[in-house]
Amino acid sequence: MSKAITQDLSFFHLVGSASLPVQLVMLLLLLASFVSWWFIFRKLFTLRQEIKQTDEFEGIFWRGSDLNALYQRAANARHAVGSMERIFEAGFREFTKYQSGVDIGPIMDSTRGAMRAVYQREMDRLESHLSFLATVGSVSPYVGLFGTVWGIMNAFRELSNVGQATIAHVAPGIAEALIATAMGLFAAIPAVIAYNRYASDTAQLATRYESFIEEVSNVLQRRVAKPRDTANFS
Amino acid sequence: MIRLPGDNSEPGKVRSALLALLVHAVFLALLVFGLNWKNEASEAMSVDLWADLPRHSGKTLPPVERAAPKPEPVKPQPQSQPRSQQKPQSQPQPVIKVAPPPARKPDIALKDKAEKPQPEEEVKKPEPVKKEVPKEKEKPVRKPAEKPVLREEARKPEPKVEPKPEPVKKEAPKTEPVKKVEQKIENKDDARQKADAQKQAQQQASEAAAAQAKANGEIDKYKAMIQAKIRSRIIMPPDLPGDPFVEFSVTLLPGGDVLAVTLRKSSGYTVFDEAVERAIYLAKPLPLPPDSGLFNAFRNLDLKVYYRE
């Protein structure tokens, strides 16, 4: 009698007494949860930094600074600059290579191409690990559910061996099995929230970069046209 | 260039890992403490249950404490000095013999009263012997076996002295027997425990038998009730010859619902068979004993219905 009541329902005891598949599921979920939280924090820091740097650079750029000075600054401090600055740097480098008076079409094409390439690479970097978060968010509830179903199956199978069934016979098994679901949800919920948040942040950054590329090409195009006009006139 | 951005987020990696660890530690703590509350509650409940056990130890402990003071009042001081601590165990029997002589009848009466609740057979046996045989004969016979001669000598004067004060001091003999009884209790604790165990076993056996009989009675009663209820629902087809009967096997669910009805032996009249089958379904929920432990007897019910009652 006292045994049934004092049955150890502590968390560790439940986990320890779970069957092997359930324990494996829990381990997997713990791992997934840990890695996804790791990515969540990493992405948080990266995206925050990225947005800050982009804001800063946009501010400097549109304040009408000298493009050459900006390029020098970006080229000197590559490690500490944001994606937008890197895009600008690649485009401007490509642009300066041509300035010997070729036709404006190819210059702008290759400039834009260089900027596109860097843009793609930067976007790739920003979006890395997001797919992992999405996977954890969508799959870990099912994995947890699998562990739970397995545990409950076992609990009921054991129940069938007991002549008189009481809730006390199944309760520990079900409690133990439900831990798997809890862990799955614990891994999934933050992952889904973070994925949605970071996906929208990344998409915002992407549109900013794209419009920036267009604007920079326009600025550079004007720069090409101007000297030529003056050269023609003079 | 690809590596460069990697350098950018490098410091964040360690920090993120630590933060992730922190999050999991918090979650784990939540789980552990959340479940620990339940644990404490159940422990508190178990304390109530444990209270049953200490009673036995509580009974045995106090007597041991009493054992030491007793020998002094019962016997002259010279005797108590030579005795070692082991005596209290062997003493009680000599003590019994000494005490009865001064006041036989009161002693015995008191002992009987005190001993009634206690299942001691061994204690009572020596008493009848004492009543029949003269006191002085008993002592020499029994004491030598257990104790040195010194005590016998010391005791012999006692009975002589005590008979006189007897009428005067009624309180002394009364208190002594009580103590003696207690001492006997100590000595025969083992015996009593065995006797208790036996009694309990017997009780349990008899209770089990009684419960079994009661359960059987209950089962029969409810089977009759089921039979009657089904019978009341049958719409009998008219004018069947003779007294045909039909046998059905009914599978019940706890709660009295009918899970399945199978025909085991037809009556030869389909009308009658169907009427009974319909009646079985109409009669649900069938009456079942409130004690769910008896349900097993009703899980597969064999039903025999006669056309004529």
Side-chain angles (χ1 to χ4, degrees):
Chain A
M1 246 170 78
S2 63
K3 251 193 179 180
I5 290 167
T6 54
Q7 219 160 24
D8 193 0
L9 279 179
S10 78
F11 175 72
F12 292 111
H13 180 85
L14 282 179
V15 171
S17 64
S19 61
L20 189 69
V22 179
Q23 279 180 333
L24 284 179
V25 163
M26 285 178 189
L27 192 73
L28 184 76
L29 287 173
L30 190 71
L31 217 71
S33 168
F34 181 78
V35 176
S36 81
W37 272 99
W38 187 40
F39 285 153
I40 286 171
F41 283 117
R42 273 178 65 182
K43 283 269 120 197
L44 182 72
F45 296 139
T46 327
L47 281 173
R48 231 191 239 160
Q49 194 187 24
E50 206 60 56
I51 292 170
K52 201 180 112 205
Q53 283 170 338
T54 305
D55 286 346
E56 250 172 48
F57 183 72
E58 261 190 334
I60 297 173
F61 187 84
W62 294 117
R63 235 176 276 140
S65 312
D66 182 21
L67 291 187
N68 278 313
L70 274 180
Y71 172 69
Q72 283 305 321
R73 198 187 93 124
N76 287 341
R78 265 182 193 166
H79 296 248
V81 297
S83 305
M84 195 178 255
E85 210 159 352
R86 252 179 246 128
I87 290 168
F88 167 74
E89 182 216 327
F92 197 78
R93 194 197 303 117
E94 193 66 26
F95 176 76
T96 46
K97 278 180 192 164
Y98 275 100
Q99 270 196 343
S100 49
V102 200
D103 202 17
I104 191 167
I107 297 181
M108 289 329 294
D109 277 352
S110 64
T111 304
R112 201 171 282 146
M115 286 197 287
R116 283 253 156 225
V118 177
Y119 161 77
Q120 293 293 353
R121 220 178 283 140
E122 290 298 317
M123 283 321 291
D124 199 44
R125 183 177 67 87
L126 286 182
E127 277 169 358
S128 68
H129 307 319
L130 275 191
S131 66
F132 179 83
L133 288 184
T135 310
V136 168
S138 57
V139 167
S140 67
Y142 296 116
V143 177
L145 200 64
F146 169 73
T148 298
V149 168
W150 191 273
I152 290 182
M153 261 161 57
N154 280 342
F156 278 117
R157 223 190 48 216
E158 279 160 25
L159 184 70
S160 69
N161 298 334
V162 184
Q164 207 156 22
T166 61
I167 195 76
H169 288 119
V170 253
I174 291 178
E176 148 213 314
L178 284 177
I179 290 177
T181 304
M183 290 177 76
L185 291 178
F186 175 72
I189 294 170
V192 170
I193 292 175
Y195 173 77
N196 286 333
R197 172 78 203 280
Y198 295 160
S200 83
D201 278 1
T202 317
Q204 263 181 359
L205 280 176
T207 50
R208 276 172 85 174
Y209 294 158
E210 271 181 334
S211 46
F212 178 74
I213 289 172
E214 297 305 319
E215 284 158 355
V216 169
S217 4
N218 286 343
V219 169
L220 291 179
Q221 202 164 349
R222 264 188 316 234
R223 227 177 111 118
V224 177
K226 263 187 202 165
R228 218 175 256 171
D229 289 346
T230 49
N232 283 347
F233 283 114
S234 61
Chain B
M1 276 187 84
I2 302 169
R3 281 176 217 150
L4 304 180
D7 295 345
N8 241 355
S9 53
E10 194 70 59
K13 277 183 184 173
V14 181
R15 202 157 37 132
S16 330
L18 288 178
L19 279 169
L21 267 180
L22 186 78
V23 168
H24 286 85
V26 168
F27 180 60
L28 200 71
L30 210 88
L31 269 181
V32 170
F33 287 121
L35 290 163
N36 260 359
W37 286 345
K38 283 177 191 168
N39 246 8
E40 282 166 22
S42 66
E43 274 168 23
M45 288 176 69
S46 73
V47 168
D48 292 349
L49 290 169
W50 275 106
D52 288 348
L53 296 173
R55 273 180 215 158
H56 294 286
S57 58
K59 273 181 184 176
T60 51
L61 281 176
V64 176
E65 293 166 2
R66 286 172 213 156
K70 279 166 209 162
E72 291 163 22
V74 175
K75 299 200 173 181
Q77 289 172 351
Q79 284 179 349
S80 63
Q81 287 168 351
R83 274 176 219 153
S84 65
Q85 290 178 344
Q86 292 174 345
K87 284 163 196 167
Q89 293 176 345
S90 52
Q91 278 169 10
Q93 285 165 349
V95 174
I96 299 164
K97 293 158 200 164
V98 176
R104 269 192 212 165
K105 288 174 185 177
D107 272 5
I108 292 157
L110 277 170
K111 278 173 198 165
D112 286 344
K113 284 174 195 168
E115 283 161 11
K116 273 171 193 169
Q118 297 146 3
E120 290 169 27
E121 297 155 17
E122 299 171 32
V123 179
K124 285 177 184 174
K125 283 169 191 169
E127 286 163 17
V129 178
K130 289 162 207 163
K131 292 168 197 167
E132 295 164 1
V133 185
K135 312 151 200 170
E136 292 183 356
K137 278 184 184 177
E138 268 187 9
K139 292 165 198 165
V141 176
R142 287 193 184 178
K143 284 168 194 166
E146 294 157 5
K147 305 233 168 176
V149 188
L150 282 174
R151 283 171 211 162
E152 286 175 34
E153 291 171 353
R155 276 170 210 159
K156 280 168 191 170
E158 272 178 41
K160 289 165 193 169
V161 179
E162 284 179 31
K164 293 163 194 170
E166 207 190 30
V168 185
K169 298 177 186 175
K170 280 187 180 177
E171 295 171 1
K174 279 175 192 168
T175 52
E176 284 169 12
V178 175
K179 286 168 191 168
K180 289 163 211 159
V181 169
E182 284 169 349
Q183 278 186 334
K184 290 170 213 158
I185 295 168
E186 300 156 26
N187 288 338
K188 283 142 194 178
D189 243 354
D190 296 340
R192 192 203 303 158
Q193 281 177 357
K194 284 175 197 167
D196 277 344
Q198 278 183 346
K199 265 197 171 180
Q200 277 187 351
Q202 282 178 351
Q203 273 189 348
Q204 283 175 355
S206 60
E207 279 171 14
Q212 186 63 35
K214 197 184 168 192
N216 285 337
E218 197 87 328
I219 288 170
D220 289 343
K221 182 180 146 203
Y222 276 92
K223 277 188 175 165
M225 281 169 73
I226 289 171
Q227 188 75 272
K229 187 166 186 189
I230 289 172
R231 183 138 206 116
S232 71
R233 297 290 195 283
I234 299 179
I235 301 163
M236 285 292 185
D239 301 334
L240 291 184
D243 188 5
F245 67 89
V246 61
E247 279 184 37
F248 279 101
S249 173
V250 184
T251 310
L252 288 184
L253 291 175
D257 231 356
V258 176
L259 185 66
V261 177
T262 45
L263 185 65
R264 287 182 66 213
K265 197 176 176 202
S266 172
S267 62
Y269 302 95
T270 330
V271 209
F272 178 49
D273 296 351
E274 283 173 356
V276 174
E277 190 175 346
R278 272 196 303 274
I280 291 170
Y281 281 114
L282 279 174
K284 73 185 181 185
L286 294 173
L288 284 180
D291 181 3
S292 58
L294 297 178
F295 175 71
N296 276 340
F298 293 88
R299 200 180 290 278
N300 290 306
L301 204 61
D302 289 335
L303 213 64
K304 198 174 181 183
V305 181
Y306 287 87
Y307 180 58
R308 293 178 210 284
E309 195 108 38

